[in-house]
Structure formats: structure tokens, C-alpha cells
Amino acid sequence: MRQMKLTMITVGKLKEKYWLDAVKEYKKRISKYAKIELIEVADEKEPNNAGPKDLEQIKDKEAERILSKIKDTQHVVTLEINGRQYTSEKLAQEYQRWMNTGKSDVVFVIGGSNGIGEAVKKRSNQEISFGTLTYPHQMMKVMMLEQLFRVNKILRNEAYHK
């Protein structure tokens, strides 16, 4: 099986110990199967009474930071509410497809609390969704890492998945 290089770019810094512990644990688990790098870019401060134009500017500034970390050769997957929803098994098949088609350097992008800027959406090769519920982006980081670990277990027919 081809060694994948996975990168996760998130907006904002994790501070709470329980999120940090969960991220550390899943990063350790995934590292048995793939090279993984986690990148945090600074979130833009939101002024009081921010209007729609302010929120777009915030997302644009965060998008610049995100795009500065992405190489032209990387396959970019954004987590978006309107993205395609997968079961874990179907995500494993998609992951396998990436490997089979030479997309072994994949970047997952989780935006900040206001979402993902248009420039990042344009750069995205595909969008995935965890459903239409709203989750804290810190939790999404842990959930995406858990799914990447699960995908690797599924592809190797190893116990864990059930």
C-alpha cells in the first residue's frame, strides 16, 4: 500500500487540554499508516457587531494564510456543510482511489468559525461534509483525524471499525 502524506490545515489554535490530547492520540495512531502534518494558521479577530462584509474580509484573510501552506501538487479536500457526505466505508474507498490515482499528498482544510474563504473553495479539489449540523472547528479536527485513522483500519481489514 502506498504511503500517504496527509496534511490538515486548521484555522485557530487549539488551547484546551482535552482537544490537544485527542489530537495527539489520533496523530500517533495515524502515523503508523501515513505521514501526517498538522498546521494551524492564525484566526482573524472578529470585531463587535461585524457585518457580512466584515465576515467576508475575515474569511479572505484566513484564506490567504491557508493558501500560503498549500503546494500546487497537493490534492485539497475542504470540509464544508454542502460537501459530499460519506460513510466511513465510502470514505475509505475514496482514500484508496486517491492512492490509486497518484494523489498521495492530500490536504484537509477546516476553516474558522466563519467558514472557508472563496479563494480556498476555488483551490479545493473536493468538498466533504460531516452533515448539516454545526460543530466547533476544534471538534471537527478531532473527528476528521478519527476518520482518517478509521479509513486506514478499514483498508487493512484491521479490528477497530465496527
Side-chain angles (χ1 to χ4, degrees), residues 63 66-67 70 76 78 109 116-124:
I66 291 167
L67 290 171
I70 298 173
V76 178
T78 47
V109 177
I116 294 176
E118 278 306 309
V120 175
K121 288 181 180 187
K122 284 185 177 130
R123 172 60 182 88
S124 178

Side-chain angles (χ1 to χ4, degrees), residues 87 133 154:
T87 63
L133 294 172
I154 291 169

Side-chain angles (χ1 to χ4, degrees), residues 61-120:
K61 288 179 183 175
E62 291 172 348
E64 285 177 31
R65 293 180 188 130
I66 291 167
L67 290 171
S68 75
K69 306 294 183 187
I70 298 173
K71 299 178 186 92
D72 290 342
T73 56
Q74 291 176 306
H75 183 75
V76 178
V77 178
T78 47
L79 274 66
E80 301 184 47
I81 286 176
N82 296 319
R84 182 170 175 202
Q85 293 185 40
Y86 292 89
T87 63
S88 295
E89 294 84 358
K90 291 288 184 192
L91 186 58
Q93 289 174 4
E94 186 67 6
Y95 188 95
Q96 183 72 57
R97 189 182 68 78
W98 295 335
M99 285 192 286
N100 293 344
T101 58
K103 297 172 186 159
S104 59
D105 189 355
V106 180
V107 178
F108 296 89
V109 177
I110 300 173
S113 57
N114 294 304
I116 294 176
E118 278 306 309
V120 175

Side-chain angles (χ1 to χ4, degrees), residues 111-152:
S113 57
N114 294 304
I116 294 176
E118 278 306 309
V120 175
K121 288 181 180 187
K122 284 185 177 130
R123 172 60 182 88
S124 178
N125 299 107
Q126 69 189 99
E127 306 80 33
I128 64 173
S129 173
F130 278 64
T132 55
L133 294 172
T134 302
Y135 299 100
H137 54 280
Q138 302 96 321
M139 183 180 289
M140 285 310 307
K141 184 174 188 173
V142 173
M143 289 170 62
M144 188 69 235
L145 287 169
E146 191 280 336
Q147 283 301 303
L148 291 170
F149 174 64
R150 183 178 298 270
V151 156
N152 278 284

